[in-house]
Amino acid sequence: MRFLGHNLIKQHTPLPPCRIFLKSIFSNSEDKMSNIPMNRKPRYNGKSKKRQWEDRRTDKGAGLSPKIPKIEENNTIDTNKTEDRTEKIKRRKFAVLLGYSGVGYWGMQRNRGTKTIEEDLIKALFDAKFINKECYDVVQNMQFQRAARTDKGVSAARQVVSMKLGENFEISKVNEKLPEKIRLFAAKRVTKGFNSKGQCDFRTYIYVLPTIAFVDTEKSQKAFRIKEETLKQINEILQLYVGTKNFHNFTVKKKPCDPSAKRFIKSFECEPPFVKDNVEFCALKVYGQSFMMHQIRKMVGLVLAVVRGMTTQNTVIKAFTNEIVNVPRAPGLGLFLDYVHYERYNYRYGEDGMHEKLTWEEVENDVKEFKEKHILPTILNTEINEGAMIWWIQNKLARHSYDETGEKDESDDEAVGDDEEEEQNNSHNEPAQVAPDTNEHIENKL
């Protein structure tokens, strides 16, 4: 058996023929390749091929070697080239604090053919020669962004815009080109990736109205003074808005299942009343993450209806459910943006030694003076002289139906909103015609 197995293995082993066959193939291929001429790159020789670094320099290496003397500066000046050469200014990202009165303007956002805050601001930057024609025509070229978008008639005490500007930027020169209703207060260097809208944590809005609006009384505005229990009731109702709620009934074109309708409000309170020309006023201050179009005005309108006894607190609770509630919308006259907050930015970059905190205490007196001169008088005087809020309560709120599923869309109405989706949609609208004077008739303001 051993002998037989050995013979079988010996007869069926293919290795010797394969080795001969493969050897013949590779030997033939090597012979063919050896006949093909090959152009190989010659090996680098540092002595024969010296690196000509002098020829690649603009000064040909002058002054770097004792064999090449330094060329005098006067000989290198080309007058023809220097005349055509424009000075390049380094641009840095700035956060600019400004305030404005929105009366007579069709909002903050730029819209060609209409009178807006941004149009006057960008034109002043161009006239002061801090931006070029490309940035004036397309603001994205300088990474322009606003912290909040305020619409027709809405003012701002502390608005923040971010953009890239030259290091020679001066606020005083821009203010010389701006109308009196718009003022720049301060500018601070920020990180190159800073976005005034995207990095804004919270926004504070204030709604000013006469205290007589909360009570059904026959007294005149000058004779009325609100009671402490009424102020307590107002603050209790305002607390219903605090937290993360579904505000789909407090805006337009939002469905109950839309995730963007959920907004976070950190605080909402009524500040102590104050008197102006014998008329008592109060300020409702709301501090939230972001707000949608008409949201603040509808919140104020529903509070007025509850305190006056036109509806109950159950209507407020019901408005946060998936049911459709037609919420009344208060006038836009008393609303203005008071502050934009950058808490996370200040915590991360405010004390790194290179950047400043965006808190603006150094210009607080200038902001307060501007607010008392250009923002508050417009609101207070209109209420005192024309009674805009009382007119709205008697002609609008008294006839309001909360069961209506649809609401008339008044495109020329004042509004406030900094919602990203709304901003993109409105940026493509056709230019609107110039609005009439808002003081001409009360109904035009409402």
Side-chain angles (χ1 to χ4, degrees), residues 26-118:
F26 285 111
S27 62
N28 294 334
S29 61
E30 290 176 358
D31 295 339
K32 292 179 181 180
M33 293 180 66
S34 61
N35 296 328
I36 299 174
M38 297 182 65
N39 297 325
R40 294 184 177 180
K41 189 176 180 180
R43 191 173 182 181
Y44 173 74
N45 188 352
K47 296 182 180 180
S48 62
K49 190 176 181 181
K50 186 179 179 181
R51 184 172 180 263
Q52 300 297 325
W53 56 270
E54 296 93 345
D55 296 335
R56 290 196 295 272
R57 291 177 57 96
T58 56
D59 57 358
K60 305 301 180 183
L64 300 178
S65 174
K67 298 181 180 180
I68 308 175
K70 186 176 180 179
I71 303 175
E72 296 295 333
E73 295 182 358
N74 296 333
N75 298 333
T76 60
I77 298 176
D78 190 346
T79 56
N80 295 328
K81 291 183 179 180
T82 53
E83 290 178 359
D84 299 335
R85 187 181 300 168
T86 57
E87 184 181 358
K88 292 184 179 180
I89 300 176
K90 291 183 179 180
R91 296 199 302 167
R92 306 295 185 187
K93 182 66 74 68
F94 282 87
V96 181
L97 180 71
L98 72 151
Y100 53 84
S101 173
V103 177
Y105 284 91
W106 281 75
M108 172 71 181
Q109 187 175 348
R110 191 183 195 187
N111 190 5
R112 293 299 178 92
T114 59
K115 185 177 177 60
T116 62
I117 302 295
E118 285 183 10

Side-chain angles (χ1 to χ4, degrees), residues 253-293:
K253 300 178 181 180
K254 289 284 185 183
K255 296 182 180 180
C257 58
D258 193 338
S260 64
K262 290 186 178 180
R263 301 297 167 113
F264 173 66
I265 295 180
K266 195 170 184 179
S267 65
F268 202 172
E269 60 182 0
C270 178
E271 295 188 335
F274 61 94
V275 178
K276 167 69 174 177
D277 294 342
N278 294 326
V279 177
E280 189 179 56
F281 290 87
C282 67
L284 305 181
K285 180 181 289 188
V286 57
Y287 175 54
Q289 194 171 25
S290 61
F291 300 94
M292 298 178 289
M293 182 176 289

Side-chain angles (χ1 to χ4, degrees), residues 217 308 310 389-399:
T217 179
R308 292 180 67 92
M310 297 179 177
M389 177 58 73
I390 302 301
W391 184 93
W392 176 79
I393 292 173
Q394 295 174 353
N395 294 273
K396 298 283 186 177
L397 186 60
R399 304 174 185 177

Side-chain angles (χ1 to χ4, degrees), residues 320-331:
F320 296 135
T321 65
N322 291 336
E323 296 188 38
I324 302 298
V325 179
N326 186 18
V327 179
R329 184 174 61 205

Side-chain angles (χ1 to χ4, degrees), residues 134 160 210 412:
E134 288 76 13
V160 175
D412 62 340

Side-chain angles (χ1 to χ4, degrees), residues 8 74 80 105 143 189 216 226 269 273 280 323 334 359 374 408 418 421 425 445:
L8 290 173
N74 296 333
N80 295 328
Y105 284 91
Q143 301 179 10
R189 284 277 305 277
D216 186 8
I226 196 169
E269 60 182 0
E280 189 179 56
E323 296 188 38
T359 51
H374 295 284
K408 182 180 178 182
D418 42 55
E421 181 180 354
N425 293 338
K445 291 190 284 292

Side-chain angles (χ1 to χ4, degrees), residues 224-400:
F224 178 81
R225 294 294 181 268
I226 196 169
K227 297 180 180 180
E228 287 294 332
E229 51 265 26
T230 306
L231 289 174
K232 183 178 179 181
Q233 182 186 6
I234 295 171
N235 282 309
E236 289 177 355
I237 300 173
L238 293 177
Q239 290 303 306
L240 298 176
Y241 294 115
V242 176
T244 302
K245 309 284 185 179
N246 188 350
F247 288 95
H248 70 96
N249 281 314
F250 294 84
T251 185
V252 292
K253 300 178 181 180
K254 289 284 185 183
K255 296 182 180 180
C257 58
D258 193 338
S260 64
K262 290 186 178 180
R263 301 297 167 113
F264 173 66
I265 295 180
K266 195 170 184 179
S267 65
F268 202 172
E269 60 182 0
C270 178
E271 295 188 335
F274 61 94
V275 178
K276 167 69 174 177
D277 294 342
N278 294 326
V279 177
E280 189 179 56
F281 290 87
C282 67
L284 305 181
K285 180 181 289 188
V286 57
Y287 175 54
Q289 194 171 25
S290 61
F291 300 94
M292 298 178 289
M293 182 176 289
H294 303 319
Q295 180 181 342
I296 298 175
R297 294 173 58 191
K298 281 179 172 286
M299 289 192 296
V300 173
L302 190 53
V303 170
L304 287 170
V306 174
V307 177
R308 292 180 67 92
M310 297 179 177
T311 187
T312 63
Q313 291 189 16
N314 292 332
T315 305
V316 182
I317 299 173
K318 183 180 178 181
F320 296 135
T321 65
N322 291 336
E323 296 188 38
I324 302 298
V325 179
N326 186 18
V327 179
R329 184 174 61 205
L333 176 65
L335 183 62
F336 68 92
L337 173 65
D338 187 54
Y339 209 99
V340 287
H341 306 263
Y342 297 95
E343 296 176 0
R344 286 179 296 176
Y345 176 87
N346 293 336
Y347 177 79
R348 184 172 181 180
Y349 300 105
E351 297 180 357
D352 62 356
M354 296 182 293
H355 303 92
E356 300 179 72
K357 290 185 177 181
L358 303 180
T359 51
W360 319 108
E361 292 92 348
E362 64 276 8
V363 293
E364 185 62 29
N365 292 333
D366 297 335
V367 174
K368 185 178 180 181
E369 181 181 354
F370 179 84
K371 184 166 60 174
E372 293 178 351
K373 183 177 180 181
H374 295 284
I375 297 178
L376 291 178
T378 302
I379 300 172
L380 303 180
N381 293 336
T382 304
E383 292 291 350
I384 293 172
N385 299 328
E386 302 180 17
M389 177 58 73
I390 302 301
W391 184 93
W392 176 79
I393 292 173
Q394 295 174 353
N395 294 273
K396 298 283 186 177
L397 186 60
R399 304 174 185 177
H400 186 81

